[in-house]
Amino acid sequence: MANTATLEINDKKYEFPLITGTENEVAMDISNLRGVTEGVTTLDGGFKNTGSCKSSVTFLDGEKGVLRYRGYSIEELAEKADFLEVAFLLIFGELPNKEELEKFHADIKKNSIVDEDVKKILDAFPKSAHPMGVLSSLTSALTAFNPDSVDVDSEEDVYNSIVRILGKFPVLVAWAMRKKSGLPLDYGDKNLGYVENILKMMFKVPNEEYTQNQIVVDALDKLLILHADHEQNCSTSTVRIVGSSHAGLFASISAGISALWGPLHGGANQAVLEMLEAIKEDGGDTKKYMAKAKDKADPFRLMGFGHRVYKNFDPRATIIKVAADEVLEDLGVEDPILDIAKGLEQEALNDDYFVKRKLYPNVDFYSGIIYRAMGIPTEMFTVMFALGRLPGWIAQWREMRLNKEPIGRPRQLYTGETARSFTAVEKR
Ligand code: CMC
């Protein structure tokens, strides 16, 4: 392939370098476009064609349904690794050896105490508050309780802030859930694995022993791995752009949580379950909802279907679908919602509208069914997504700072009024 691209504007030709990535993807480097063309800019709503950075964290091929973290396939990681190993891999680039992993976990545990005063902030929220809003606020508040600035050129500083957020975030997640159910707040158990500790912090009831269920631990571990990174999605791009102003890690992640909350992104897992329940309440008529999804006059979309990048299948959904079957069977849960989900999936896969637009079930279509079987309340589903995505946000934030990326500041094409004179209020 040529290594330059030529652009012609008003009979003038401009050359731009073509850059090839390690997976042979090609990008046209237009970083000097405005300078050489004297003001021409690009317009790409939703950044459908725009690469915002070079990244070596995650590779995905939407046509082939490939997803790899640092070169390792998601299928292999979901089967063989645990969440903390994957977190280390994403953040630092290589799988940890035994000592590195033990030290990483020990440092996270050492940093898991959240200041008691954070409970006062939590207390000020009404019980009805959505836990994603609570989590975003508490994560932002962590900055005030951990004010040391991070020198990104200091490996030690960056490492310390990483283990701090990985230690404290699960505590905040558990507190956000326990606040809603009126349970006392806890700090977890340092003798447990990372995921086991999360479950205990969420579910331990006073005056009762908490017994770990290995099926639940393994399923949650897998779900967290599947959600751990997804290159430049909406929340990750938010984390990178907030961090590009040199805002701290906690502040950047708090912004990422807000971006994840929306139903077109992470909020879809809650929306899927609410949709499946609504279909069940309405008599289980999936055809009616298929018709609504296809009706352009109806704002209803089939939640859990479609993806900006995956146009054949979402490899995470394939793994989750199998896991959902296993978990429900192992736990002896019979959930009519699962039948509705399967029915809907079959209809969509054979429907022209969905086939033509390449709309397939995404990661969120089945994850809520597993979370529900684990006893996690529906409003907490997107919080669980955030818990999984945390290492990815950290890895991408760290990469952006280490690469010394410039502040994110897109251009626009102005379409408003041209210059006009002010009219005094009495003359308007
Ligand atoms: N139900 C019905 N029609 C849909 C759906 C859907 N779920 N998704 C896309 N379409 C249609 C859309 O109306 C459009 O039709 P037309 O070409 O006739 O105008 C066409 O398919 C292309 O859709 P788009 O909105 O231009 O595609 P996008 O790449 O901008 O949006 C999406 C991707 C994920 C936001 C969208 O598919 C969607 O809203 N899905 C439902 C929400 C969802 O499940 N989100 C979770 C995504 S996976 C988790 C994550 O990583 O965040």
Side-chain angles (χ1 to χ4, degrees):
M1 176 176 298
N3 49 16
T4 55
T6 309
L7 185 68
E8 192 173 328
I9 305 171
N10 293 338
D11 297 333
K12 261 186 156 178
K13 286 188 178 167
Y14 306 92
E15 298 238 308
F16 298 96
L18 290 176
I19 305 174
T20 308
T22 52
E23 291 281 356
N24 297 321
E25 292 172 303
V26 178
M28 186 164 90
D29 179 354
I30 54 151
S31 43
N32 66 350
L33 174 73
R34 288 190 84 252
V36 295
T37 58
E38 289 167 12
V40 175
T41 195
T42 55
L43 198 57
D44 184 21
F47 308 115
K48 290 190 178 190
N49 309 282
T50 299
S52 60
C53 59
K54 289 182 191 165
S55 178
S56 54
V57 181
T58 289
F59 171 70
L60 77 85
D61 180 332
E63 269 67 40
K64 296 193 184 125
V66 169
L67 172 61
R68 294 191 206 120
Y69 299 160
R70 302 280 189 185
Y72 296 100
S73 80
I74 191 66
E75 289 81 8
E76 200 174 9
L77 291 171
E79 192 195 327
K80 298 178 184 163
D82 72 27
F83 179 59
L84 217 51
E85 275 180 294
V86 169
F88 189 101
L89 170 72
L90 281 168
I91 298 168
F92 301 111
E94 294 295 340
L95 284 167
N97 63 29
K98 201 161 175 292
E99 290 76 49
E100 285 169 331
L101 187 60
E102 276 167 13
K103 179 178 181 316
F104 188 47
H105 194 193
D107 290 338
I108 289 170
K109 285 193 271 196
K110 237 185 278 162
N111 282 284
S112 62
I113 298 300
V114 174
D115 195 294
E116 277 287 292
D117 280 347
V118 175
K119 289 182 178 171
K120 292 186 195 149
I121 304 176
L122 181 66
D123 261 349
F125 281 97
K127 259 196 181 145
S128 58
H130 194 286
M132 281 298 274
V134 173
L135 188 66
S136 172
S137 305
L138 296 187
T139 306
S140 175
L142 282 183
T143 314
F145 290 90
N146 302 271
D148 311 351
S149 62
V150 175
D151 171 3
V152 285
D153 293 320
S154 154
E155 242 178 74
E156 192 187 341
D157 263 25
V158 173
Y159 181 80
N160 286 341
S161 62
I162 289 170
V163 289
R164 265 191 208 150
I165 188 78
L166 282 167
K168 297 177 202 307
F169 199 71
V171 178
L172 301 182
V173 164
W175 284 6
M177 177 168 140
R178 294 175 79 89
K179 159 87 184 177
K180 275 197 98 66
S181 44
L183 286 168
L185 308 181
D186 193 21
Y187 284 97
D189 182 340
K190 74 179 174 56
N191 299 313
L192 296 176
Y194 191 76
V195 173
E196 288 169 325
N197 187 36
I198 292 169
L199 285 164
K200 185 171 172 191
M201 281 195 292
M202 288 170 76
F203 290 113
K204 165 110 178 64
V205 176
N207 300 334
E208 260 182 48
E209 273 302 304
Y210 180 76
T211 331
Q212 294 284 346
N213 179 330
Q214 200 53 46
I215 296 164
V216 172
V217 175
D218 292 344
L220 181 56
D221 203 281
K222 193 174 280 194
L223 280 171
L224 296 179
I225 291 173
L226 294 177
H227 285 90
D229 195 46
H230 214 233
E231 52 117 298
Q232 309 313 316
N233 57 83
C234 177
S235 59
T236 302
S237 299
T238 302
V239 169
R240 282 184 90 122
I241 206 161
V242 172
S244 76
S245 74
H246 295 195
L249 177 62
F250 302 161
S252 307
I253 285 178
S254 162
I257 296 167
S258 298
L260 185 72
W261 190 357
L264 297 191
H265 191 11
N269 57 11
Q270 175 177 338
V272 168
L273 214 98
E274 286 167 353
M275 173 189 81
L276 293 174
E277 283 196 321
I279 298 175
K280 187 178 138 232
E281 291 304 306
D282 200 16
D285 185 358
T286 47
K287 290 203 166 48
K288 175 171 161 190
Y289 285 83
M290 287 288 292
K292 271 166 76 63
K294 294 189 280 181
D295 178 0
K296 292 289 167 200
D298 189 328
F300 176 79
R301 279 189 166 198
L302 210 53
M303 298 315 287
F305 272 79
H307 197 275
R308 170 60 62 80
V309 187
Y310 293 122
K311 297 299 174 198
N312 275 318
F313 67 97
D314 177 342
R316 304 165 302 170
T318 312
I319 301 171
I320 286 189
K321 188 180 173 186
V322 175
D325 274 336
E326 282 169 7
V327 171
L328 264 60
E329 198 191 320
D330 287 345
L331 296 178
V333 175
E334 274 178 33
D335 195 339
I337 290 282
L338 185 65
D339 297 330
I340 293 178
K342 284 186 172 164
L344 214 48
E345 182 187 0
Q346 272 321 306
E347 276 177 49
L349 291 178
N350 293 306
D351 188 288
D352 253 13
Y353 174 98
F354 284 83
V355 173
K356 251 195 215 139
R357 290 170 181 75
K358 302 192 170 183
L359 303 170
Y360 298 88
N362 58 49
V363 68
D364 287 329
F365 192 63
Y366 282 106
S367 62
I369 291 169
I370 308 185
Y371 289 138
R372 189 164 123 119
M374 290 175 181
I376 296 172
T378 312
E379 273 201 338
M380 282 294 292
F381 291 0
T382 316
V383 170
M384 302 313 287
F385 191 153
L387 192 59
R389 185 53 55 88
L390 181 63
W393 288 334
I394 297 171
Q396 302 269 355
W397 183 91
R398 178 175 176 268
E399 179 181 70
M400 176 272 306
R401 292 302 310 271
L402 290 178
N403 287 353
K404 307 219 177 319
E405 282 175 20
I407 185 166
R409 205 300 185 188
R411 288 280 171 175
Q412 64 168 15
L413 185 67
Y414 178 68
T415 56
E417 298 288 345
T418 52
R420 50 183 172 163
S421 300
F422 180 82
T423 316
V425 69
E426 44 304 336
K427 296 207 173 147
R428 278 177 231 156

